[in-house]
Amino acid sequence: MKSGFLITARLKSTRLKKKIIKKIDKKPMISHMVDRIKFFGKFDKIIICTSDLNQDKELVKIAKKNKIDIFCGHKDDVAKRLYDAAIFHKIDYIVNIPADCPLVDLYHANKILNVLKTKKSLDLVRSYHLPIGIFSYGFKTKTMKKILDIKNSADTEVWY
């Protein structure tokens, strides 16, 4: 059973244009996030999940430079994009956070993955006690399929 840390990322920000690729110490912010996940994470794959819009093609280059996987999918339906990415990359367990939360707590992300793998009855795990921007959440790919089957909107930017 494979696990993946899926980073949802788009370059559509309006208040601070392209904030996730702004340079910090000569590297895009998202690259620092990826480095932290590589160093502290216990995931089989790290995948940037972006849209298939031209504006997000720069993220494809960043993923290649960081030697991680990329998935380009639906522009608005983030739930579908995550599911499609997991199916494409053959991921069973997903831990996810948006790219504009670069300070994700990997200690808790790893715990979430472990809980998902060991507590078979759980479908969704989130660390509620952490501040927004640091928490992450995890779920099984088959759970996301159930969510897609019952949701009634394609606008799932904040789906959980």
Side-chain angles (χ1 to χ4, degrees), residues 14-75:
T14 55
R15 289 177 294 171
L16 180 57
K17 303 262 188 237
K18 299 184 176 184
K19 65 184 169 201
I20 63 172
I21 61 170
K22 293 284 185 199
K23 301 266 171 128
I24 300 172
D25 195 26
K26 301 178 184 166
K27 266 180 24 179
M29 182 179 75
I30 194 170
S31 294
H32 289 285
M33 182 181 192
V34 168
D35 288 346
R36 289 183 65 245
I37 297 167
K38 282 181 178 179
F39 189 76
F40 294 109
K42 304 208 183 306
F43 303 92
D44 298 312
K45 288 185 170 273
I46 301 169
I47 306 165
I48 293 177
C49 296
T50 192
S51 82
D52 52 12
L53 296 175
N54 282 335
Q55 72 184 22
D56 295 321
K57 295 302 181 208
E58 200 166 344
L59 292 168
V60 175
K61 295 175 193 169
I62 289 172
K64 287 179 182 175
K65 186 172 183 176
N66 284 283
K67 297 182 173 124
I68 62 168
D69 291 303
I70 186 85
F71 183 83
C72 301
H74 198 282
K75 69 182 181 80

Side-chain angles (χ1 to χ4, degrees), residues 125-136:
V125 179
R126 179 179 169 213
S127 48
Y128 278 102
H129 62 284
L130 295 174
I132 292 174
I134 295 177
F135 76 86
S136 54

Side-chain angles (χ1 to χ4, degrees), residues 132-150:
I132 292 174
I134 295 177
F135 76 86
S136 54
Y137 49 94
F139 49 92
K140 297 171 188 165
T141 300
K142 65 181 183 179
T143 302
M144 186 54 79
K145 175 67 173 127
K146 292 177 191 175
I147 292 168
L148 291 177
D149 289 345
I150 62 172

